[in-house]
Amino acid sequence: MPRPSNTEARREQIVAGLLKAMAERGYEGASVAEIARAAGLSAGLVHYHFEDKQEILLTLVRSLASRARQRFATRVSKLAADDARGRVDAFVDAFLATGPDADVAAVAGWVTISAEAIRQPEVRVAYEEVVRADLEHLEALVAAVVGKRRARPLAAGLFAAIQGYFVLSASAPGLVPPGSAAGTVKRMAAGLLDAATSSSPEP
């Protein structure tokens, strides 16, 4: 993989700085000066690479989505081509699993982004685009197990569970037993998929 250009590297550094600053102070408290400090750069460089704080946030939305999709792709690459259920589990793991590639900061980041999506129309558009794409992806994975007609409600339920764990772990982290989220949602998925596949087949 080619190395990113200096501009790309600086922008990635600034986006990571926003994520870190939001974890410490929330979006409102993450001033350009705080973002620069968290990124280890000058405020002038932040202004050079981004028009304003919102542009950094919108870039962060795309960055976090890309990271989750890359984790999914890595997991799927180790599965057999016909392992449809394994792909559903891989999706859940990409968002919730602990381990070397866990993205703890991203969880709090998504919760903050979802709150800003309520307040800022531009963020809402970007957030909805990412969430819609992820839900449609999960729906396709579920459809490969249970058929297209049954897939949407099951996928929506599983995706809501993932989002619910995000909110709980960010707002009241002591309530969720460490490392339990992915396994619990995968067991939910197994139960839902088993029930759907054991009922009458699609017409």
Side-chain angles (χ1 to χ4, degrees), residues 4-87:
S5 69
N6 188 59
T7 295
E8 291 171 337
R10 283 283 180 265
R11 286 174 63 88
E12 290 172 4
Q13 198 173 347
I14 292 165
V15 169
L18 172 61
L19 185 60
K20 182 177 179 182
M22 287 197 314
E24 296 172 353
R25 300 174 180 273
Y27 180 74
E28 286 297 317
S31 64
V32 169
E34 288 296 331
I35 295 168
R37 180 188 61 79
L41 299 171
S42 69
L45 271 175
V46 175
H47 284 297
Y48 175 80
H49 287 287
F50 290 95
E51 182 176 340
D52 54 26
K53 191 169 75 168
Q54 187 189 77
E55 185 185 359
I56 307 173
L57 184 64
L58 294 174
T59 305
L60 176 61
V61 172
R62 294 188 290 271
S63 174
L64 292 181
S66 177
R67 283 154 58 170
R69 291 163 187 169
Q70 182 56 53
R71 287 194 298 277
F72 171 79
T74 298
R75 286 172 166 80
V76 165
S77 69
K78 302 172 184 176
L79 299 176
D82 60 349
D83 189 356
R85 288 196 179 218
R87 282 166 165 70

Side-chain angles (χ1 to χ4, degrees), residues 4-202:
S5 69
N6 188 59
T7 295
E8 291 171 337
R10 283 283 180 265
R11 286 174 63 88
E12 290 172 4
Q13 198 173 347
I14 292 165
V15 169
L18 172 61
L19 185 60
K20 182 177 179 182
M22 287 197 314
E24 296 172 353
R25 300 174 180 273
Y27 180 74
E28 286 297 317
S31 64
V32 169
E34 288 296 331
I35 295 168
R37 180 188 61 79
L41 299 171
S42 69
L45 271 175
V46 175
H47 284 297
Y48 175 80
H49 287 287
F50 290 95
E51 182 176 340
D52 54 26
K53 191 169 75 168
Q54 187 189 77
E55 185 185 359
I56 307 173
L57 184 64
L58 294 174
T59 305
L60 176 61
V61 172
R62 294 188 290 271
S63 174
L64 292 181
S66 177
R67 283 154 58 170
R69 291 163 187 169
Q70 182 56 53
R71 287 194 298 277
F72 171 79
T74 298
R75 286 172 166 80
V76 165
S77 69
K78 302 172 184 176
L79 299 176
D82 60 349
D83 189 356
R85 288 196 179 218
R87 282 166 165 70
V88 175
D89 285 349
F91 185 96
V92 174
D93 280 337
F95 285 89
L96 296 178
T98 56
D101 68 341
D103 203 346
V104 178
V107 172
W110 277 125
V111 174
T112 301
I113 289 166
S114 65
E116 290 304 313
I118 298 172
R119 299 176 60 251
Q120 302 185 49
E122 297 87 351
V123 179
R124 184 182 310 125
V125 170
Y127 178 72
E128 182 179 347
E129 180 180 318
V130 165
V131 169
R132 184 183 299 277
D134 285 337
L135 177 55
E136 288 175 351
H137 182 197
L138 179 56
E139 182 180 357
L141 297 174
V142 171
V145 181
V146 303
K148 187 174 182 180
R149 182 172 61 84
R150 296 188 176 102
R152 173 53 70 95
L154 300 186
L158 293 174
F159 198 74
I162 292 170
Q163 296 296 316
Y165 268 115
F166 280 4
V167 174
L168 272 180
S169 62
S171 59
L175 296 181
V176 179
S180 66
T184 301
V185 176
K186 286 191 289 187
R187 286 191 291 275
M188 291 170 57
L192 290 169
L193 297 177
D194 284 345
T197 53
S198 63
S199 61
S200 57
E202 287 193 346

